[in-house]
Amino acid sequence: QVQLVESGGGLVQAGGSLKLSCRFTGSDFNTYAMSWYRQAPGKERELVATIPVGASAIYADSVKGRFTISRDNPKNLAYLQMDGLKPEDTGLYSCHTKVARGWNLIDYWGPGTQVTVSS
């Protein structure tokens, strides 16, 4: 059974930085792509960044050059380093992965961590 738990959110001023962590509980972490999503109030959830297995990370245009996704496979952790934060980055940040179970792909989500950027 896979579980994801995020941490590291908080309140920060515009221009500041935060580093989010996602703890993966389960096996074979190093075989799964990991992603960060965010959802602002009244808006749909959007993909922020993905770190595939053995490939380059992918970023939303709105965060390119400011955010960095990474992973520590021995520790079963994924990270999102956020620099140059803007008020529009405010939202609930969740980590996500897909796990194959037989013929099915199952989505797993963490509960999320709140990021609030003040102007």
Side-chain angles (χ1 to χ4, degrees):
Q1 183 71 6
V2 171
Q3 288 186 322
L4 303 174
V5 178
E6 305 89 342
S7 61
L11 174 63
V12 64
Q13 287 188 331
S17 297
L18 283 174
K19 186 174 184 177
L20 307 183
S21 299
C22 174
R23 179 166 296 282
F24 175 104
T25 301
S27 58
D28 302 322
F29 172 73
N30 61 315
T31 66
Y32 304 128
M34 297 296 298
S35 298
W36 286 94
Y37 284 76
R38 68 185 179 190
Q39 186 167 22
K43 294 188 177 181
E44 292 188 357
R45 184 164 52 195
E46 63 172 345
L47 176 64
V48 175
T50 295
I51 184 164
V53 177
S56 299
I58 302 166
Y59 297 93
D61 288 343
S62 58
V63 307
K64 280 181 183 175
R66 300 188 297 121
F67 290 11
T68 304
I69 189 172
S70 61
R71 63 192 302 158
D72 185 335
N73 287 337
K75 293 183 178 179
N76 281 14
L77 287 168
Y79 302 103
L80 185 68
Q81 175 68 45
M82 306 185 294
D83 300 314
L85 282 161
K86 304 175 181 180
E88 52 264 43
D89 294 318
T90 294
L92 183 68
Y93 283 70
S94 302
C95 65
H96 168 267
T97 191
K98 282 182 183 285
V99 174
R101 289 285 183 262
W103 293 104
N104 298 316
L105 282 175
I106 300 175
D107 290 285
Y108 289 94
W109 296 90
T113 186
Q114 179 67 35
V115 172
T116 303
V117 184
S118 63
S119 57

